[in-house]
């Protein structure tokens, strides 16, 4: 298929073939994972250069020898035991927010479950784990969404210039922190990685390590609003929270595609793939492959194949924060699902045009005053 600027891509949709590509980083390299979908004009590149913006290979786009060590350092910061230690704190935070939002709903007032609940939870949790820079939450969220748009959306030149300025300015903040900060930044420096690599790792974590999770929480809550039987099962204990999270990841992934580039001539599913070909792996479609899932279009937590989704990727570049994302989603489902009883969706999430990320902007609900919760 051709994209909006005429670049040809091989689109891979079958679960087995998507997994095959992800599991073979030698034949199908991740070098193009962070390439801008809309080629940047010289004017936008100059803006980025003026901020000394660079994204050297670190995590998602790194096929070199440095990847295993960088990944290991990040994985240690996000170790399952460290993630589990954050669960009591996060549960208290979510429970408090849910109580306040429930009180507002009881008055008949509208509530935005993206802005008022889900948007900053992953960032606040990630900051505790890796000692992120002490920047205002709003500024970090704006930067992350700007980066997702700049690199993965179809854009005109004026928009590219505005986004390049925003991303470049925050890159300066990351550079300052990378030079002196503790936690993950300090660990990467101590391992001998240069400042650009430290900045690149922080950049990727701030974009993929928290923004995608807040998107997923919003999309999952919206899906649950239309699944009263699942919510009833959660109340009675007949439906497991973990199964709801996995089915949500399968049907409502925040990352719908990912890219690879063919390093050599190969054959994939009987199709010739010349070296240099761009492959778009349709992760969301792979999650609905009837060869894997019993009822691919239905939200049925615990069904056969539900956990075989590829929402976190696979292979050497599988998402290093999968345990963290699952924990955060489990807490939100357990605590916030009751908010959805008896509500009307005033404004469903709207997602802009983007090759890879869904980026919902709001999820507004309302309960009629006096209606049972």
């Amino acid at each position: 298929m051709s994209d909006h600027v005429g670049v040809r891509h091989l689109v891979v949709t079958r679960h087995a073939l998507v997994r095959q590509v992800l599991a073979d980083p030698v034949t199908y390299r991740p070098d193009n994972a962070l390439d801008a979908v809309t080629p940047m004009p010289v004017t936008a590149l100059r803006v980025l250069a003026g901020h000394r913006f660079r994204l050297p290979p670190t995590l998602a786009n790194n096929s070199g020898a440095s990847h295993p060590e960088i990944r290991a350092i990040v994985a240690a910061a996000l170790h399952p035991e460290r993630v589990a230690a954050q669960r009591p704190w996060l549960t208290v935070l979510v429970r408090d927010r849910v109580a306040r939002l429930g009180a507002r709903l009881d008055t008949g007032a509208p509530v935005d479950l993206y802005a008022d609940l889900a948007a900053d939870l992953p960032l606040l949790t990630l900051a505790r784990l890796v000692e992120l820079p002490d920047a205002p939450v709003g500024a970090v969220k704006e930067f992350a969404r700007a980066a997702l748009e700049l690199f993965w959306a179809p854009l005109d030149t004026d928009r590219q210039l505005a986004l390049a300025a925003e991303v470049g300015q925050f890159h300066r903040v990351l550079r300052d922190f990378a030079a002196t900060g503790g936690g993950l930044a300090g660990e990467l420096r101590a391992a001998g990685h240069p400042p650009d690599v430290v900045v690149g790792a922080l950049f990727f974590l701030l974009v993929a390590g928290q923004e995608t999770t807040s998107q997923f929480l919003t999309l999952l809550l919206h899906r649950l609003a239309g699944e009263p039987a699942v919510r009833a099962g959660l109340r009675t204990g007949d439906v497991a929270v973990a199964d709801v999270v996995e089915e949500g990841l399968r049907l409502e992934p925040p990352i719908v595609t990912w890219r690879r580039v063919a390093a050599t001539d190969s054959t994939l599913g009987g199709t010739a793939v010349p070296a240099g070909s761009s492959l778009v792996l349709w992760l969301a479609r792979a999650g609905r492959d009837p060869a894997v899932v019993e009822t691919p279009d239905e939200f049925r937590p615990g069904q056969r194949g539900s956990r075989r989704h590829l929402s976190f990727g696979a292979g050497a570049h599988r998402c290093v924060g999968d345990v963290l994302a699952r924990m955060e989603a489990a807490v939100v489902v357990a605590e916030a699902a009751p908010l959805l009883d008896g509500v009307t969706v005033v404004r469903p999430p709207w997602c802009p045009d983007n090759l890879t990320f869904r980026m919902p902007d709001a999820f507004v609900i309302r309960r009629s005053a006096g209606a049972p919760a």
Side-chain angles (χ1 to χ4, degrees), residues 21-342:
V21 172
L22 290 171
D24 185 358
V26 175
T27 305
Y28 306 105
R29 294 165 65 98
D31 302 13
N32 64 340
L34 272 63
D35 288 356
V37 170
T38 304
M40 292 194 200
V42 173
T43 48
L45 293 173
R46 285 175 179 162
V47 170
L48 291 173
H51 291 286
R52 293 169 48 202
F53 179 91
R54 289 189 68 243
L55 274 184
T58 52
L59 291 168
N61 62 338
N62 190 353
S63 60
S66 65
H67 177 257
E69 183 181 70
I70 297 171
R71 180 182 172 87
I73 293 171
V74 175
L78 304 179
H79 190 276
E81 290 182 1
R82 301 193 74 222
V83 169
Q86 300 302 317
R87 187 167 190 144
W89 166 83
L90 182 62
T91 299
V92 171
L93 176 61
V94 173
R95 190 169 293 167
D96 178 67
R97 290 186 179 186
V98 167
R100 287 188 282 110
L101 294 175
R104 283 172 53 189
L105 285 171
D106 288 343
T107 69
V111 163
D112 185 346
L113 292 184
Y114 170 72
D116 298 331
L117 176 63
D120 64 345
L121 289 177
L123 176 58
L124 295 174
T125 310
L126 187 65
R128 290 168 63 93
L129 286 167
V130 303
E131 298 182 30
L132 289 173
D134 186 19
V137 169
V140 176
K141 298 296 292 184
E142 289 176 8
F143 147 73
R145 292 179 72 88
L148 295 183
E149 187 178 354
L150 179 62
F151 290 102
W152 284 279
L155 301 168
D156 59 36
T157 300
D158 288 344
R159 185 61 179 162
Q160 284 175 306
L161 287 171
L163 292 169
E166 187 171 351
V167 171
Q169 288 166 6
F170 198 85
H171 193 268
R172 288 175 178 251
V173 175
L174 290 181
R175 276 205 312 276
D176 292 342
F177 176 75
T180 59
L184 178 61
E187 292 289 336
L188 288 167
R189 288 198 312 273
H193 293 288
D196 278 350
V197 168
V198 181
V199 173
L202 291 172
F203 183 97
F204 186 74
L205 277 177
L206 284 172
V207 171
Q210 60 85 25
E211 183 62 31
T212 53
T213 306
S214 64
Q215 293 174 23
F216 173 57
L217 297 178
T218 306
L219 296 165
L220 179 55
L221 288 172
H222 177 242
R223 183 71 189 225
L224 283 175
E227 300 286 348
V230 174
R231 298 200 311 274
L234 285 169
R235 284 195 302 272
T236 61
D238 294 327
V239 173
V241 169
D243 288 342
V244 171
V245 172
E246 296 305 321
E247 190 73 336
L249 286 165
R250 181 183 74 81
L251 278 174
E252 302 291 346
I255 299 176
V256 291
T257 69
W258 205 245
R259 285 174 291 170
R260 288 289 186 266
V261 60
T264 60
D265 293 341
S266 63
T267 301
L268 185 65
T271 297
V273 184
S277 298
S278 169
L279 290 85
V280 174
L281 311 178
W282 197 349
L283 306 179
R285 187 61 189 169
R288 295 172 182 251
D289 191 333
V292 175
V293 187
E294 189 173 3
T295 54
D297 296 322
E298 295 182 19
F299 195 94
R300 290 179 52 191
Q303 69 167 310
R304 177 185 63 81
S306 177
R307 292 174 177 263
R308 292 181 60 192
H309 61 79
L310 298 171
S311 298
F312 293 117
H317 288 83
R318 177 182 170 83
C319 175
V320 73
D322 59 339
V323 173
L324 175 59
R326 283 183 164 110
M327 185 276 286
E328 292 166 330
V331 169
V332 168
V333 168
E335 300 296 330
L339 281 179
L340 302 170
D341 292 336

